[in-house]
Amino acid sequence: ALQWGGALGVSVLIAGAIGGFLGLFYPRIVRNPWRLVALGGLIALALAAGAWGAVLYPGVVWLVAASPVVFAAMIVVVAYDRHLAVAVAGGTALLVAAAADLGIGFVAVCATGAALAAWRLDAIRNRNDVVRAALVVAAGLAVSVIVVGLLERPIVSGILPEILLDAVLAGGGGFIAGALTLVALPTVERVFDIVTGMTLSELRDPKQPLLRQLQQRAPGTFNHSLTVASLAEVAAESIGADGLHVYVGAMYHDIGKMNKPDYFVENQPPGFNKHNKLSPAMSLVVIVGHVKEGIELAREYG
């Protein structure tokens, strides 16, 4: 009973530390019940899967216990940022280690995998980025398991093949975590209400239906948006902001003009201006109206 009480106390302390970290550095998550529940559910799922796997399948503990922790880190770095991902992975690894009586080496290996995931997944532009990240994480986990095995296990005859097998299992678990992250990305975007770099890269494509319509119906506005997007991307990157996000926003910022393209100067031929026949008040209505129409188009096309 005392041992169970100690394990429960440690778990409460670790959970409290995660909660305190969120309260101090991520108040927007704490203020949003849905995001808080989603993040808590992800941690609980990783904890349950890791501890359950370690208890039922101790022979492949590096595969079944480490991969859920790394998967949670990958999801968090995609949904939020690398700092929160490393913190969540560290706390989850400590919880799994406490629940399944695993050593500090397990926490060190999971922290290595989480750090590599945070490094490689901070900016996802396409599926290949996720695959490359999974390979890097797998290699990092394999190497860290070898190092931990040489430190923690007695060097006796036949131990090296066992350590190498553990390394292969850990690497396989890291790659599986990356594959699951790739599959889960659309769900992650919906659950956490975020847009990943992969989706932004797709929206940037001029072949997107909405951009293609803009190019056909209001070519002047399309070229104007392209110029603004290029300038805004460089400006955003110069101050450390997300250049891709800004570029996509600029590309779509004037889509509402395609409903009445001739009323905007970039689409008018020289010497022709429809506003000359309108009162100032009506001109104002037409010009300001493109914002509302653009919002409606954006919602219609998702």
Side-chain angles (χ1 to χ4, degrees):
L2 290 176
Q3 190 174 11
W4 276 98
L8 179 62
V10 169
S11 299
V12 170
L13 286 173
I14 297 170
I18 296 174
F21 180 84
L22 289 174
L24 282 172
F25 299 105
Y26 295 89
R28 72 181 190 278
I29 297 178
V30 177
R31 289 195 298 265
N32 188 320
W34 173 244
R35 289 193 174 193
L36 190 60
V37 169
L39 183 60
L42 177 65
I43 295 173
L45 182 63
L47 169 60
W52 174 78
V55 171
L56 291 185
Y57 305 100
V60 290
V61 65
W62 291 112
L63 173 64
V64 297
S67 54
V69 177
V70 175
F71 173 72
M74 290 180 169
I75 295 298
V76 174
V77 75
V78 170
Y80 294 108
D81 60 42
R82 55 179 64 176
H83 302 97
L84 182 58
V86 173
V88 165
T92 307
L94 286 170
L95 287 170
V96 173
D101 195 23
L102 301 174
I104 192 65
F106 172 81
V107 179
V109 170
C110 290
T112 301
L116 290 172
W119 169 48
R120 296 296 302 182
L121 288 174
D122 189 50
I124 301 175
R125 295 293 182 263
N126 51 57
R127 289 173 176 79
N128 290 336
D129 289 339
V130 181
V131 174
R132 283 192 288 267
L135 290 173
V136 171
V137 170
L141 288 174
V143 172
S144 59
V145 165
I146 292 174
V147 173
V148 168
L150 292 174
L151 286 173
E152 290 188 345
R153 303 177 72 170
I155 305 302
V156 297
S157 177
I159 196 66
L160 290 179
E162 292 183 12
I163 293 176
L164 291 176
L165 177 60
D166 287 343
V168 171
L169 290 172
F175 188 80
I176 290 172
L180 290 175
T181 300
L182 183 59
V183 173
L185 278 178
T187 303
V188 170
E189 289 187 323
R190 287 194 296 270
V191 170
F192 290 94
D193 191 24
I194 54 100
V195 179
T196 66
M198 189 180 300
T199 298
L200 289 173
S201 294
E202 293 173 355
L203 289 173
R204 179 177 183 159
D205 188 350
K207 294 181 181 179
Q208 284 288 330
L210 205 50
L211 291 181
R212 190 167 258 179
Q213 283 191 47
L214 181 64
Q215 191 172 11
Q216 293 170 350
R217 296 167 61 182
T221 298
F222 177 83
N223 290 326
H224 155 72
S225 298
L226 194 61
T227 302
V228 172
S230 299
L231 291 171
E233 182 181 33
V234 175
E237 290 176 349
S238 70
I239 61 171
D242 188 343
L244 176 61
H245 204 158
V246 173
Y247 184 97
V248 173
M251 283 301 298
Y252 288 85
H253 84 282
D254 265 347
I255 53 176
K257 289 182 178 179
M258 75 171 77
N259 290 338
K260 299 182 182 69
D262 294 340
Y263 285 88
F264 298 92
V265 65
E266 65 268 22
N267 301 306
Q268 294 172 353
F272 175 80
N273 191 336
K274 282 195 171 184
H275 289 278
N276 292 335
K277 298 179 179 180
L278 299 179
S279 67
M282 184 57 67
S283 289
L284 177 65
V285 170
V286 172
I287 293 172
V288 174
H290 87 271
V291 177
K292 180 182 177 183
E293 292 171 357
I295 292 172
E296 291 173 353
L297 276 171
R299 286 175 176 159
E300 180 183 346
Y301 282 81

